[in-house]
Amino acid sequence: MDTAPPPPPPSTASAPSTRNRRRVATAAALASAVEWYDYFVFGIAAALVLGDLYFPAGSSSAGVLAAFATFAVGFLARPVGGIIAGHFGDKRGRKPMLVLALTLMGLATAGIGLLPTYETIGIAAPVLLVLFRVLQGIAVGAQWGGAMLMATEYAPEGKRGLYGSLVQLGVPIGVVTANTVFLVAGAFTSDAQFAGWGWRVPFLVGFLVLGLAWYIHARVEETPAFKEAERALAEQEKTAKRSPLRTILRSHLGTVFLAGGSFAVNTATFYIIITGVLDYATRELDMKRGAVLTVSLCVSLTQLVLIPAAAALSDRIGRLRIYTLGAVGLLVWAVPLFLLIDTRSLLWLAVGTFVTSCFLSIMYGPQAALFAELFTAEMRYTGASLGYQIAAVFGGGLAPFVMVLLLEATGTSMAVSGYIMGLAVIALVSIRILASRAARAASH
């Protein structure tokens, strides 16, 4: 069978203290927040300035497409980070890979903030921009599995969903922080100053990630679940080389693709409303940059409440039920979302994206625990990371790029609604298959 049984909780003999659980959960949430902050500042900058500064030839649409293509490259690199960190994270521990991911992200993001433009160094500028974006992608691909497992494998019995949601909160925290820093940079600079140097300030904040990496290295212990799996497999490694990736590819690849298929609509819709709509509203609908960023910031703040609420509910009534509700909501709301945005009203833009954000939160809250429970401890980092990063590549990474292409080709935002609806159908089919497998496993 292609589904692993749910992981058992850590044994009571080795159960960590409440204080230690909270320290680890806080560190994991902070790690997720700073990683996603660094990752999102690129998406905002791509929608606002990177096209003109690093891809100046051609029309404004061509520049935006080039910038979003560079944005997508980071997603293509995420499975690489997931595979590498998953392999060593399942063999050597969650913590070392998380520390390495944070360090790489901090250096790559700061590098973008210091990178000269096309006007200064020519073709080397976009080449280096793509390179730094690849490093960002590898870092975030490595980070999610480590932070998620640090939280869920320390969680007390019956609260794995809630603890996992603390890592998921890193996404809205990252969005809020990135939007806030861009708003502040824009408020204290003219348009010319913002294009010249103001946009670099959010990237230079990436240096702060290095301090958090050091803290986790020095103060956070490895997870109990990994320690137990490590002891159980110690004798096996004396006679045979253990490869979590090989195990996943041979016996659990179907589960990985189903996990990715269930979540692609979430990542695609999220990046559409965070970066795609920012470009669409400012370039096509002539809405003010600061106003659209403010709406995005306020909508993301609501997720700080909705994500843990959905996760806690999933601890009571089941992950897949909550997950299904969110996917159905995205399917139904895809058309009203763009009908409201196309009114060019800031109020209706806020309403449309807020409702969308509610459905995203309903899915995102239980997702960490759901993916962790699909695999056993000795291959969980690899399996969960691959499932998540597949969704990121085919959902989030391509979404803003596909959105611009669809708008240019069809001239109507309803094409983007159709794109979201198609991914929602894939999600519901994947969820249905996962639920059937879980029911069969429970009956045996």
Side-chain angles (χ1 to χ4, degrees):
M1 181 173 292
D2 195 25
T3 302
S11 62
T12 55
S14 62
S17 66
T18 300
R19 180 180 180 183
N20 201 26
R21 291 185 198 273
R22 290 174 178 172
R23 179 193 298 148
V24 172
T26 301
L30 286 173
S32 178
V34 296
E35 283 268 315
W36 286 117
Y37 165 83
D38 284 3
Y39 203 66
F40 290 142
V41 292
F42 191 99
I44 296 173
L48 296 178
V49 296
L50 294 186
D52 292 334
L53 295 176
Y54 291 92
F55 307 96
S59 66
S60 61
S61 295
V64 171
L65 279 171
F68 278 157
T70 307
F71 179 71
V73 165
F75 285 84
L76 295 175
R78 282 171 60 168
V80 176
I83 290 170
I84 295 172
H87 177 79
F88 289 103
D90 281 329
K91 296 189 70 173
R92 305 302 176 201
R94 310 340 186 175
K95 188 178 80 170
M97 293 300 102
L98 181 56
V99 171
L100 180 61
L102 287 169
T103 303
L104 182 60
M105 178 63 86
L107 295 174
T109 304
I112 295 172
L114 297 172
L115 183 64
T117 64
Y118 185 95
E119 184 179 0
T120 304
I121 61 173
I123 192 64
V127 170
L128 289 172
L129 183 67
V130 170
L131 175 61
F132 282 130
R133 183 58 179 170
V134 168
L135 294 177
Q136 278 194 321
I138 292 173
V140 81
Q143 172 273 145
W144 181 81
M148 179 271 290
L149 293 179
M150 291 292 287
T152 58
E153 291 184 346
Y154 262 99
E157 177 67 10
K159 293 187 178 180
R160 191 176 291 120
L162 180 59
Y163 270 62
S165 74
L166 297 178
V167 174
Q168 308 296 70
L169 286 178
V171 171
I173 292 172
V175 172
V176 168
T177 309
N179 277 286
T180 299
V181 175
F182 267 102
L183 282 169
V184 171
F188 286 93
T189 59
S190 65
D191 287 345
Q193 290 172 331
F194 182 83
W197 59 267
W199 68 270
R200 297 181 182 274
V201 174
F203 286 91
L204 297 178
V205 175
F207 277 123
L208 299 178
V209 178
L210 302 179
L212 180 61
W214 176 86
Y215 174 83
I216 292 175
H217 172 71
R219 300 293 301 275
V220 175
E221 297 179 2
E222 189 54 81
T223 71
F226 176 76
K227 290 179 180 178
E228 291 185 5
E230 187 177 42
R231 285 193 295 268
L233 290 162
E235 291 300 320
Q236 177 184 333
E237 289 217 346
K238 292 179 180 178
T239 58
K241 290 185 178 180
R242 178 171 63 97
S243 172
L245 178 60
R246 188 182 301 119
T247 302
I248 289 290
L249 295 178
R250 286 180 176 177
S251 305
H252 303 276
L253 191 57
T255 300
V256 169
F257 280 112
L258 287 171
S262 74
F263 197 60
V265 65
N266 190 289
T267 57
T269 307
F270 174 80
Y271 284 104
I272 283 172
I273 66 171
I274 292 298
T275 59
V277 168
L278 176 59
D279 166 63
Y280 177 61
T282 55
R283 185 168 57 87
E284 299 287 344
L285 303 182
D286 295 322
M287 301 178 73
K288 297 295 184 181
R289 178 186 67 205
V292 178
L293 282 171
T294 301
V295 167
S296 179
L297 186 153
C298 293
V299 167
S300 295
L301 284 173
T302 65
Q303 292 185 314
L304 298 177
V305 176
L306 294 172
I307 287 175
L313 187 59
S314 78
D315 283 329
R316 292 177 174 271
I317 68 173
R319 321 274 183 229
L320 289 174
R321 289 182 180 179
I322 302 298
Y323 216 56
T324 301
L325 177 60
V328 170
L330 292 176
L331 174 65
V332 172
W333 189 249
V335 170
L337 167 63
F338 277 96
L339 290 177
L340 293 174
I341 291 173
D342 286 344
T343 64
R344 302 173 187 255
S345 163
L346 197 63
L347 173 62
W348 290 121
L349 170 69
V351 171
T353 53
F354 169 72
V355 175
T356 305
S357 178
C358 290
F359 293 127
L360 292 175
S361 300
I362 290 171
M363 290 190 73
Y364 204 58
Q367 184 252 342
L370 173 63
F371 278 30
E373 291 169 353
L374 292 174
F375 307 95
T376 53
E378 66 272 14
M379 59 180 170
R380 191 176 299 148
Y381 201 139
T382 302
S385 292
L386 277 178
Y388 186 91
Q389 303 313 332
I390 285 173
V393 170
F394 293 104
L398 295 175
F401 185 81
V402 170
M403 178 176 173
V404 175
L405 285 180
L406 288 173
L407 290 170
E408 289 290 316
T410 67
T412 173
S413 60
M414 289 299 100
V416 185
S417 297
Y419 173 56
I420 295 174
M421 293 172 72
L423 290 175
V425 171
I426 293 173
L428 290 170
V429 172
S430 299
I431 292 168
R432 176 62 180 168
I433 296 172
L434 287 172
S436 298
R437 290 183 172 186
R440 288 199 302 269
S443 65
H444 289 147

